[in-house]
Amino acid sequence: PGLRSEQGATMSGSSGSPRADAKMVEDAQRALVAFSGVPATAVSGEAGAETEIDLNDFMSLRRPQNIMSGISSGMQSVGKGVLGGAAALVAAPVVGARSEGLSGFAKGLGAGLCAAVALPFAGAAVGITQIARGAYNTPEAIMEANAGKRWDSHRRVWVAEDLVQESLRLSECSDEDILEKARERAKARGEAPGLEGALGGGGAAVNGGGVASTEYYDALEVAPTATPAEIKRSYYLLARKLHPDKNPDDPEAHQKFQRIGEAYQVLSDESLRKKYDERGKDGLKDHAFVDPSAFFAMLFGSDQMEGLVGRLQLATLAAAGADLTKDERRLLQERRVGRLAVKLAAILQGYVDADADNAKIKSFEGHVRGMADHLVAASYGDIMLHTIGFVYEKQSLEYQTDPVGGMGTWADLGFRANYARMEQMGKRMQSQFNALGAGMRVISTMRAADTEAKAAQGGGDESAAEAAMAKRQKDVLNHVMEAIWNASALDIEATIRKTCDKVLHDLSVSKEVRGRRAKGLEIMGRIFQAVKAPDGKGDRMRDVEEAMRKAFMGSEEDGAESD
């Protein structure tokens, strides 16, 4: 309670302790790490872990879908060859000179010249091959598309979508089965799964079982000897089970969720866990607890959105992290798309059954508006609905006007379908640039603030150094939040596109039904894009500040109960 009042004054604008401010934001950043999968190094600026780079597609020889795909693949290969050769020509002499001096420079220059000739030549050869393959595959692509099949970009084959069979396949196993395999691999190596493993967390238990209090262990339903991996797994399962959005009829849902979040913050932090084991809650008097529900809802758009976007890839990272193989990540994503397609088809069935009945169509529109009005109140609800609605509308228009594989004719030579594709491509590029810009702002803000903090330390002014550190933490936090959203937007857009593809190319129903689905999807998209955020919900920075208030101070009612 004492910390709550001090931080309340700080958040409301009055002067507060810079050390308390920095501590508050550090705890908020731990919450971001725990719930979104953002590496701690992205927040703290410390040296990061090794990054896995896949160079298998440097010179892509994957099967092109058609002539346009072949040209695109070929031009990319040519460009990669030229850039790779130029980079080698510049880098090889420099690397050689640093390692062996003048002789190394000569060797590097020779190697760079060879690469400058070989790589562009190889890129050109691959490019010509890909263009020829694309031209050869074009007649098959036209026939398969006209038959209603969809191109599988992973397997590079045409597939016949069937949502009935998709439902049966989804029931054969669960996502948890796949995540559990990753956790078991981490456990076998003696490491923690999920974020702990990705960030280098260990898997050994912190204590031998003798603790001053078991309250937090009981809250997470684990033993005092539990490893970090076991604590992480139990918390993740309980968080999804007890989240307030999944328990709207339980008046104590918020308190239950806050309780397990508080327990996890302590037991997932090695130093805090040690203090708790030795002295119980008395050892944590100087620690400000974060209410995780605010950040959980903010970063994931609340569980209310799962029916439309599924579990975001950031959430999957938080569940199993680097222990997931590439194939497992792909399988989880395919299952996510499959579930969303089945759900979306069920929603659109209301429009399909209307069959030109105006009363039923109005009822469908009212149902969709009610859904949008409910979801827009969630954190980031309006911007997520706008993103989803944009993809819905453009995917629908593309299918309705596409003369190859859709409902369109050649009257406009496919112009409208191609225009819808280009609009989506432009949106993807914008999201990518936004994500890149947010990441660069994180780095530049950290560097500028570090310089200021070091200058203050050099002058011997400790309070000024602490204030500079607190400012850095807050500024970086805001940009990290922006980067998280932009990364999530790319994930959402890609997932929704594939979901719509499945729904609109579902051969378990007639072409007429697929056409009605497309029209219903267009209506949903326009309604979602027209929705407006409630008063006070459109300001992103205000959302961040409000979440931090809830995280560190709680509601006034909670404060009264605590006092």
Side-chain angles (χ1 to χ4, degrees):
L3 283 173
R4 175 172 293 142
S5 61
E6 178 186 1
Q7 290 156 352
T10 300
M11 292 300 297
S12 63
S14 61
S15 59
S17 165
R19 187 183 300 275
D21 284 351
K23 179 63 176 172
M24 179 183 70
V25 179
E26 286 172 4
D27 284 341
Q29 290 167 350
R30 271 202 296 271
L32 286 174
V33 170
F35 300 124
S36 70
V38 179
T41 53
V43 177
S44 66
E46 297 173 358
E50 294 182 2
T51 302
E52 179 182 349
I53 302 176
D54 185 1
L55 298 177
N56 291 331
D57 293 331
F58 180 69
M59 292 291 183
S60 175
L61 284 172
R62 298 185 302 169
R63 180 190 179 198
Q65 177 183 358
N66 50 35
I67 181 63
M68 296 304 296
S69 177
I71 292 174
S72 175
S73 175
M75 295 303 293
Q76 288 180 35
S77 294
V78 172
K80 291 175 181 177
V82 172
L83 290 175
L89 181 61
V90 174
V94 175
V95 173
R98 288 181 176 177
S99 60
E100 300 181 28
L102 185 59
S103 62
F105 174 83
K107 294 178 183 178
L109 181 60
L113 288 172
C114 291
V117 174
L119 288 178
F121 179 80
V126 171
I128 293 172
T129 301
Q130 288 298 89
I131 294 173
R133 293 176 71 194
Y136 178 81
N137 291 336
T138 297
E140 178 192 9
I142 295 174
M143 289 188 295
E144 297 288 29
N146 281 327
K149 294 185 178 180
R150 184 181 66 85
W151 176 253
D152 187 318
S153 58
H154 173 70
R155 291 181 288 168
R156 315 302 295 180
V157 295
W158 290 94
V159 297
E161 295 290 358
D162 188 325
L163 291 186
V164 175
Q165 295 299 319
E166 186 83 28
S167 300
L168 296 176
R169 285 194 296 271
L170 288 171
S171 65
E172 293 176 357
C173 69
S174 67
D175 288 2
E176 189 60 31
D177 295 331
I178 301 171
L179 295 172
E180 183 61 26
K181 291 181 180 178
R183 297 187 187 109
E184 290 298 327
R185 286 197 299 271
K187 190 174 181 180
R189 296 195 306 270
E191 298 177 356
L195 294 173
E196 283 77 12
L199 299 176
V206 175
N207 59 72
V211 296
S213 172
T214 63
E215 179 181 345
Y216 286 157
Y217 292 100
D218 294 340
L220 294 181
E221 300 178 1
V222 296
T225 56
T227 65
E230 293 168 338
I231 291 172
K232 170 68 177 183
R233 179 188 178 191
S234 182
Y235 167 73
Y236 184 77
L237 295 175
L238 287 171
R240 295 184 64 79
K241 175 182 176 182
L242 300 176
H243 194 278
D245 286 341
K246 289 191 174 182
N247 300 274
D249 298 328
D250 184 355
E252 297 182 357
H254 179 81
Q255 287 77 11
K256 292 177 181 178
F257 189 73
Q258 186 173 357
R259 192 176 303 121
I260 63 170
E262 181 177 313
Y264 178 69
Q265 285 185 64
V266 172
L267 300 184
S268 64
D269 185 295
E270 184 176 351
S271 62
L272 291 178
R273 183 178 180 182
K274 184 177 180 181
K275 293 179 181 178
Y276 177 73
D277 289 344
E278 292 175 351
R279 301 177 55 198
K281 287 188 175 181
D282 288 342
L284 307 172
K285 289 183 177 180
D286 295 333
H287 178 67
F289 290 104
V290 181
D291 175 3
S293 60
F295 288 100
F296 191 98
M298 178 178 294
L299 297 179
F300 295 104
S302 173
D303 277 3
Q304 300 173 55
M305 287 288 185
E306 277 206 17
L308 295 178
V309 302
R311 180 165 59 184
L312 301 185
Q313 291 183 359
L314 288 177
T316 300
L317 173 64
D323 300 303
L324 283 171
T325 66
K326 185 176 181 179
D327 286 339
E328 287 171 339
R329 291 195 296 269
R330 177 182 56 79
L331 180 57
L332 286 170
Q333 178 65 6
E334 288 179 353
R335 289 176 56 81
R336 173 188 176 190
V337 170
R339 284 192 299 271
L340 292 175
V342 172
K343 292 177 181 178
L344 181 58
I347 294 174
L348 293 172
Q349 193 62 34
Y351 185 87
V352 173
D353 292 340
D355 193 18
D357 185 324
N358 287 333
K360 291 183 179 180
I361 292 176
K362 292 294 184 183
S363 176
F364 172 78
E365 293 176 351
H367 173 72
V368 174
R369 285 196 179 91
M371 180 192 308
D373 290 341
H374 173 68
L375 294 176
V376 75
S379 297
Y380 276 58
D382 60 326
I383 192 171
M384 290 187 73
L385 285 175
H386 294 166
T387 300
I388 296 168
F390 175 83
V391 180
Y392 278 178
E393 182 186 11
K394 300 310 174 185
Q395 284 285 297
S396 169
L397 293 176
E398 179 181 337
Y399 181 79
Q400 292 183 67
T401 58
D402 188 1
V404 181
M407 305 292 292
T409 67
W410 286 105
D412 65 347
L413 302 178
F415 174 80
R416 288 182 295 170
N418 286 323
Y419 183 73
R421 294 189 188 99
M422 293 300 294
E423 284 186 294
Q424 293 184 76
M425 185 180 299
K427 187 70 161 54
R428 289 198 298 273
M429 292 178 64
Q430 180 184 0
S431 296
Q432 290 169 348
F433 280 119
N434 289 341
L436 178 62
M440 294 178 66
R441 283 190 288 275
V442 170
I443 296 173
S444 63
T445 301
M446 286 194 301
R447 288 178 175 173
D450 280 340
T451 300
E452 183 180 344
K454 289 178 181 178
Q457 288 176 343
D461 189 343
E462 183 178 350
S463 61
E466 291 179 354
M469 181 183 297
K471 179 179 181 299
R472 185 198 84 162
Q473 297 276 2
K474 289 183 179 180
D475 291 344
V476 169
L477 177 61
N478 293 337
H479 293 314
V480 167
M481 295 288 291
E482 181 185 2
I484 290 171
W485 161 247
N486 283 298
S488 298
L490 288 169
D491 175 26
I492 291 170
E493 290 171 15
T495 301
I496 298 300
R497 277 198 309 274
K498 292 180 180 178
T499 298
C500 293
D501 270 345
K502 277 186 174 291
V503 170
L504 299 178
H505 293 86
D506 175 20
L507 297 184
S508 68
V509 297
S510 67
K511 189 171 184 178
E512 180 184 4
V513 170
R514 297 199 297 272
R516 291 179 185 172
R517 284 180 177 178
K519 291 180 180 179
L521 193 63
E522 181 183 358
I523 292 174
M524 288 186 67
R526 289 179 175 173
I527 291 175
F528 282 3
Q529 290 180 87
V531 73
K532 294 183 179 179
D535 292 340
K537 280 288 185 181
D539 189 335
R540 303 303 161 207
M541 297 311 301
R542 186 183 302 173
D543 285 347
V544 173
E545 292 175 2
E546 180 64 21
M548 292 182 70
R549 282 194 189 92
K550 291 180 179 179
F552 291 95
M553 293 177 288
S555 64
E556 293 181 2
E557 291 79 8
D558 291 341
E561 291 175 3
S562 177
D563 290 338

